[in-house]
Amino acid sequence: MTPMETIKRHDTGAAVEDVQQRLATIGLLDQAAIDGAFGEQTAAAVRAFCIQAGLPAGEDVTGKVWSALVDASYFLGDRTLYLRMPHFHGHDVEELQQALGALGFACGANDGIFGAYTELALRKFQLNLGLPSDGIAGAYTYAAIRNLHHSWEGKEAVHEAVHLGFARAADVLESNALCLFGTHEFTRSVASRMSNLALATSPASKIVSADSLLVKPDQEMLLVHIVLAEEATAEAVPRVSFDDEATLPLRLETAIGVADAAASSRIAVELPGTMWEDAGEGRSAQHFAITLLDALCSALS
């Protein structure tokens, strides 16, 4: 591969204009200065970029500087991202990682590299929103992220679980109508235990299991289907993974928001199995019930 020729002061032409366009895109050069001539303003902008990017200070655009400049001038949604070799890298990848992390889908370090951890987080996010879980950041995924911009812009990744006090939890239970159900003996047990816990917290709770409903749930009631990994759910139904209890409320909040906007209000929550640590089946079901009810209350508050 032929090394790139250094672009430097007094050069002119399309290559210089391309450098200027990218410097303008990242806010280091005025649009009016894009003229295809490498003068003092362009040199100053290149120096500022090198310092910003952690490169040796200089005003020449070497191959290394050019590569960093290209990475920095991509913004979220500019290109389709997916796992490949060599990995995609750039500012748009870092923005994607920041958004996913703030929404509760940890990518590891926000390093601007689309690796295996980022793909896994993206797949979980897509599943959470009822999108095809293909690990490809394309038009539909970007649209979903933009629709949730108020939930992630300017926010850091969540690292701690949020717990409600008794009074706030009771208020949430009395204000939100949810029908919990499972199609497996263990998941039905979890749903029933959640209903019992909710009623013990507040006798006026509207969060109940399907087994305790006396009438068919109406359209105002959010259906929460508790499933195991091997159980399939409808493609468009947001599916929330129980793993990472610290971010579970945030991911549930996102899924509920998507379900509320849909004609059929329904989400699925996937349990990691029928066993929690070394506890027996009963204690495991109780742990999942307590944790999931607490997370739902936080998400709905």
Side-chain angles (χ1 to χ4, degrees), residues 114-156:
F114 195 107
Y117 286 118
T118 301
E119 188 207 30
L120 179 60
L122 179 59
R123 285 182 181 276
K124 288 182 178 180
F125 168 76
Q126 291 169 326
L127 195 62
N128 200 95
L129 267 69
L131 297 171
S133 182
D134 55 13
I136 299 172
Y140 291 113
T141 298
Y142 288 134
I145 291 173
R146 290 191 189 98
N147 287 340
L148 295 167
H149 69 94
H150 59 279
S151 298
W152 61 265
E153 280 183 345
K155 298 179 182 178
E156 298 294 327

Side-chain angles (χ1 to χ4, degrees), residues 218-240:
D218 59 35
Q219 292 184 337
E220 298 299 315
M221 184 170 265
L222 177 68
L223 303 180
V224 180
H225 187 184
I226 303 170
V227 300
L228 297 174
E230 61 270 19
E231 294 182 82
T233 50
E235 187 175 302
V237 173
R239 183 163 172 146
V240 184

Side-chain angles (χ1 to χ4, degrees), residues 36-241:
F38 200 126
E40 177 55 40
Q41 281 184 278
T42 303
V46 172
R47 283 196 299 271
F49 172 72
C50 289
I51 293 169
Q52 180 180 294
L55 298 169
E59 59 182 45
D60 291 348
V61 181
T62 62
K64 192 170 184 179
V65 172
W66 171 251
S67 178
L69 185 57
V70 170
D71 281 354
S73 57
Y74 281 121
F75 286 85
L76 189 67
D78 281 353
R79 55 182 175 168
T80 299
L81 298 171
Y82 51 91
L83 188 62
R84 68 165 198 189
M85 291 298 291
H87 297 321
F88 280 109
H89 49 83
H91 183 251
D92 56 338
V93 179
E94 190 173 350
E95 284 188 309
L96 175 64
Q97 292 172 328
Q98 189 269 323
L100 291 173
L103 289 168
F105 303 89
C107 301
N110 285 7
D111 54 8
I113 300 172
F114 195 107
Y117 286 118
T118 301
E119 188 207 30
L120 179 60
L122 179 59
R123 285 182 181 276
K124 288 182 178 180
F125 168 76
Q126 291 169 326
L127 195 62
N128 200 95
L129 267 69
L131 297 171
S133 182
D134 55 13
I136 299 172
Y140 291 113
T141 298
Y142 288 134
I145 291 173
R146 290 191 189 98
N147 287 340
L148 295 167
H149 69 94
H150 59 279
S151 298
W152 61 265
E153 280 183 345
K155 298 179 182 178
E156 298 294 327
V158 175
H159 299 292
E160 295 181 3
V162 178
H163 301 284
L164 294 184
F166 175 84
R168 284 183 66 201
D171 182 61
V172 170
L173 294 171
E174 294 165 14
S175 305
N176 296 273
L178 271 70
C179 176
L180 313 161
F181 70 100
T183 47
H184 181 280
E185 184 180 355
F186 182 78
T187 56
R188 283 198 299 273
S189 173
V190 173
S192 177
R193 289 167 188 266
M194 288 175 69
S195 178
N196 292 339
L197 287 165
L199 289 169
T201 303
S202 171
S205 171
K206 295 180 181 178
I207 298 181
V208 295
S209 70
D211 292 341
S212 62
L213 273 180
L214 300 177
V215 294
K216 182 180 178 180
D218 59 35
Q219 292 184 337
E220 298 299 315
M221 184 170 265
L222 177 68
L223 303 180
V224 180
H225 187 184
I226 303 170
V227 300
L228 297 174
E230 61 270 19
E231 294 182 82
T233 50
E235 187 175 302
V237 173
R239 183 163 172 146
V240 184
S241 174

